[in-house]
Amino acid sequence: REEQEPQTKRESEDKSITINIDIPDVLKKKLEDDCYYINKRKKLVKLPCLMNVVNILESYVKHFTLNAAFSANECYRHPQSSTQTNMSLHYMPPERK
């Protein structure tokens, strides 16, 4: 009885089931590209990625503050600029806040 169970397990493992799935051409192309880059070019992405959402947001804030500081500094260096430009420096559109 014990001998029959392993034999049955082996037979069930040997059987394979084939399922056909329709894949859109755009996705198929992307999967083929991924397969090429992973297998041929060894470009497998290492997980977890070092650049996460927090790092991206922090780098954006640093970039934004540096740009704001330099643009404010340039305004003070050139006092001949019109007062209208200086007033527009204080106004910041909502998407930049």
Side-chain angles (χ1 to χ4, degrees):
R1 191 171 185 176
E2 290 176 4
E3 292 176 5
Q4 289 177 350
E5 287 179 9
Q7 220 175 17
T8 310
K9 287 181 183 179
R10 285 185 201 142
E11 288 176 4
S12 64
E13 289 174 358
D14 290 342
K15 293 180 183 178
S16 63
I17 299 173
T18 304
I19 300 174
N20 292 328
I21 301 174
D22 292 329
I23 299 175
D25 291 336
V26 175
L27 180 59
K28 192 180 296 186
K29 175 73 174 131
K30 184 68 176 163
L31 291 172
E32 288 172 355
D33 290 345
D34 286 347
C35 181
Y36 169 74
Y37 283 116
I38 290 169
N39 294 324
K40 303 291 184 194
R41 308 276 314 268
K42 305 298 182 198
K43 298 278 182 174
L44 184 63
V45 176
K46 293 180 182 171
L47 295 177
C49 184
L50 297 177
M51 194 61 132
N52 57 22
V53 174
V54 174
N55 292 344
I56 293 170
L57 291 175
E58 285 175 349
S59 64
Y60 171 74
V61 168
K62 287 178 187 175
H63 174 76
F64 180 76
T65 53
L66 284 174
N67 283 344
F70 283 126
S71 66
N73 193 13
E74 286 296 318
C75 233
Y76 290 118
R77 284 187 181 182
H78 304 292
Q80 67 268 17
S81 58
S82 68
T83 57
Q84 194 175 31
T85 334
N86 288 337
M87 290 178 68
S88 67
L89 175 68
H90 297 292
Y91 172 75
M92 190 177 296
E95 63 270 4
R96 295 209 57 198
K97 289 185 178 180

